[in-house]
Amino acid sequence: MALFNPKVFLTLTEGKLEGTEIKQSYKYLNALAGVFKNETARAEMDQDALIYEVQAYMPVEEGKSGGLFFGNSTIYPGKVDQEYFMTRGHFHSNFDTAEYYWGVKGEGYLILMDENRKIWAEKMTPGSVHYIPGKVAHRVANTGSEPLVFNACWPSDAGHDYESIAEHGFSARLLEVDGEPKLVEE
Amino acid sequence: MALFNPKVFLTLTEGKLEGTEIKQSYKYLNALAGVFKNETARAEMDQDALIYEVQAYMPVEEGKSGGLFFGNSTIYPGKVDQEYFMTRGHFHSNFDTAEYYWGVKGEGYLILMDENRKIWAEKMTPGSVHYIPGKVAHRVANTGSEPLVFNACWPSDAGHDYESIAEHGFSARLLEVDGEPKLVEE
């Protein structure tokens, strides 16, 4: 009976996934129109700047219930005016599904907003573990000077609802105020 | 608006969870009667020997659908006769739910058996990532000379069905044969 080698590897201190089944996507500044508070400043920056990238191991079909996906995200350091580089953020389409994020390198904040638009943030550092409950929108901002890297695990039927964030945004933004990150109400 | 520190930390290269909400459990040899092939040999060994221990971060109630749990397991090195120290193994009670294991320290095998008792194993090493599909029983054996440490993420409604394994066992055992691990049919 067969002993197999694994098909996927994770570099534990880099967060990187390796294997032929890993999907990779890249988000450049030109794809983030309207996401940051100061759209004029964003439009004047280098549109080809890589803001974040995502790796995903999706061994079952998206939408299947009971399955799980595994991911790795890297957010590069930088700001649009006062606002830290960050992900677009999303609720899960399957509204009451959770997710784990855990920090691997760099520093930043996980910004969380519930369905009543109550908002808070948790500091991400190497080894920090974050449970994102169902019904809570989530986005990550890099507040450091190095890439912020984290891993993630989420249900294969969670889905991504980017539209409601694109329409209504988060109720606060993580801005640099007097040299420190601060959640500032919209 | 509030910026919080995380409540749970993971030591990335040790796999250890730290935080007040972490549950810890220990499995000693005296609790593993009937699990190994050579029960006579097991009964003659030190019954207080710690075989494995498990940490779990369970931020929602067990049984809730859509939630996730995060774990850490350590299996100590050793054998009962030819058979490597291993976990009891289980199906999920909510049969079609998946799980991730990823190796952090040491070496061993993840032993997988589907509902038709087809069995195989995947090598666990630091950084190996293993997707355990739904309907597949899983147990881990330490084939090395150091503790085998891995992390895990699984749905909060997966549950554990230990009974069917206690009754029917796995269809093969991981034994040391000529100094090498080999899956030997029952």
Side-chain angles (χ1 to χ4, degrees):
Chain A
M1 269 156 292
L3 304 183
F4 293 99
N5 287 318
K7 291 180 293 184
V8 175
F9 283 91
L10 172 68
T11 52
L12 297 167
T13 56
E14 303 284 329
K16 198 175 157 66
L17 289 166
E18 292 166 356
T20 55
E21 292 182 37
I22 305 304
K23 292 174 190 171
Q24 190 108 20
S25 66
Y26 301 89
K27 195 64 72 181
Y28 298 91
L29 192 59
N30 64 12
L32 295 173
V35 169
F36 294 91
K37 186 180 177 75
N38 190 339
E39 170 60 18
T40 308
R42 190 207 62 81
E44 285 168 358
M45 294 168 67
D46 175 10
Q47 296 301 297
D48 295 331
L50 180 58
I51 310 303
Y52 59 95
E53 57 181 285
V54 178
Q55 296 187 296
Y57 176 37
M58 304 170 81
V60 294
E61 204 181 343
E62 186 147 29
K64 178 186 170 10
S65 75
L68 294 169
F69 295 150
F70 199 103
N72 162 238
S73 296
T74 301
I75 305 172
Y76 292 93
K79 284 182 297 184
V80 174
D81 192 3
Q82 290 179 277
E83 192 168 15
Y84 300 100
F85 282 0
M86 62 179 178
T87 61
R88 284 191 292 166
H90 60 273
F91 285 101
H92 289 158
S93 318
N94 190 353
F95 201 49
D96 197 7
T97 51
E99 183 161 3
Y100 278 106
Y101 282 174
W102 60 101
V104 176
K105 291 182 79 173
E107 61 179 69
Y109 279 91
L110 167 60
I111 303 165
L112 299 157
M113 180 181 75
D114 72 16
E115 54 191 323
N116 300 315
R117 300 184 66 74
K118 185 189 164 211
I119 195 164
W120 69 102
E122 294 178 7
K123 178 123 177 133
M124 295 184 84
T125 54
S128 62
V129 176
H130 308 269
Y131 183 70
I132 302 164
K135 307 177 188 174
V136 172
H138 37 290
R139 92 172 358 153
V140 174
N142 183 344
T143 58
S145 53
E146 301 295 326
L148 170 63
V149 181
F150 60 96
N151 285 125
C153 187
W154 69 101
S156 54
D157 63 353
H160 295 85
D161 169 14
Y162 295 108
E163 292 69 25
S164 66
I165 297 302
E167 191 171 347
H168 304 291
F170 278 65
S171 53
R173 293 177 175 279
L174 196 67
L175 305 181
E176 187 181 82
V177 180
D178 301 329
E180 294 290 334
K182 198 177 167 189
L183 260 185
V184 178
E185 224 171 320
E186 279 281 271
Chain B
M1 268 156 290
L3 304 183
F4 294 99
N5 287 318
K7 291 180 293 184
V8 176
F9 283 92
L10 172 69
T11 52
L12 297 167
T13 56
E14 303 284 330
K16 197 175 157 67
L17 290 167
E18 293 166 354
T20 55
E21 291 182 38
I22 306 304
K23 293 175 189 171
Q24 190 109 19
S25 66
Y26 301 89
K27 194 64 71 181
Y28 298 91
L29 193 59
N30 64 13
L32 295 173
V35 168
F36 293 91
K37 186 180 178 74
N38 190 337
E39 170 60 18
T40 308
R42 190 207 62 81
E44 284 169 355
M45 294 169 67
D46 174 10
Q47 295 302 296
D48 295 331
L50 180 58
I51 309 303
Y52 59 95
E53 57 182 283
V54 178
Q55 296 187 296
Y57 176 37
M58 303 170 82
V60 294
E61 204 182 345
E62 187 148 27
K64 179 187 170 7
S65 75
L68 294 169
F69 296 150
F70 199 104
N72 162 239
S73 296
T74 301
I75 305 172
Y76 292 93
K79 284 182 296 183
V80 174
D81 192 4
Q82 290 180 275
E83 192 169 13
Y84 299 101
F85 282 0
M86 62 179 178
T87 60
R88 283 191 293 166
H90 60 273
F91 285 101
H92 288 158
S93 317
N94 191 354
F95 201 48
D96 198 7
T97 50
E99 183 161 2
Y100 277 105
Y101 282 175
W102 59 101
V104 177
K105 291 181 80 173
E107 60 179 71
Y109 279 91
L110 167 61
I111 303 166
L112 299 156
M113 180 180 76
D114 72 15
E115 54 192 323
N116 300 314
R117 302 184 63 74
K118 185 189 163 212
I119 196 164
W120 69 101
E122 293 178 7
K123 179 125 177 127
M124 295 185 86
T125 54
S128 63
V129 176
H130 308 270
Y131 184 70
I132 302 164
K135 307 178 187 173
V136 171
H138 38 289
R139 92 174 354 154
V140 175
N142 183 344
T143 58
S145 53
E146 301 295 326
L148 170 62
V149 181
F150 61 95
N151 284 124
C153 186
W154 68 101
S156 55
D157 63 353
H160 296 84
D161 169 15
Y162 294 108
E163 291 70 26
S164 67
I165 297 302
E167 191 170 348
H168 304 292
F170 277 65
S171 53
R173 293 178 175 278
L174 196 68
L175 305 181
E176 187 181 81
V177 180
D178 300 331
E180 294 291 333
K182 199 178 168 186
L183 260 184
V184 178
E185 224 171 318
E186 279 281 273

